[in-house]
Amino acid sequence: MQMCPNCDKVYDESEYSRCPYCHDDDYGEKINIVYDDNIGEALELTDDEYEEFKKTHPDYR
């Protein structure tokens, strides 16, 4: 067990690389990077956009 020097809460360092109370591990929405052959560009898509992309590009894996 280890005490966080910032918040003084105790956490298990074998389970967490940093204090789970001070550091929120929810980094926001995941970004999916895909290559669109139709426009010849790489795109950064949210999960919702990625699902829509898969529907409109049935050959994409």
Side-chain angles (χ1 to χ4, degrees), residues 1 9 15 20 22-24 26 39 43 46-47 51 54 56 60-61:
M1 300 302 276
K9 292 186 180 181
E15 292 182 27
C22 293
H23 296 90
D24 184 9
D26 183 14
I39 61 173
L43 305 171
T46 64
D47 285 339
E51 291 303 318
K54 290 192 302 186
T56 60
Y60 183 78
R61 294 178 185 205

Side-chain angles (χ1 to χ4, degrees), residues 12-24:
D12 187 351
E13 71 276 5
S14 67
E15 292 182 27
Y16 301 99
S17 61
R18 57 188 180 181
C19 177
Y21 303 105
C22 293
H23 296 90
D24 184 9

Side-chain angles (χ1 to χ4, degrees), residues 27-34 43-47 49-50:
Y27 296 111
E29 191 166 14
K30 179 175 67 173
I31 299 295
N32 301 282
I33 299 174
V34 298
L43 305 171
E44 294 181 357
L45 307 175
T46 64
D47 285 339
E49 292 170 334
Y50 179 62

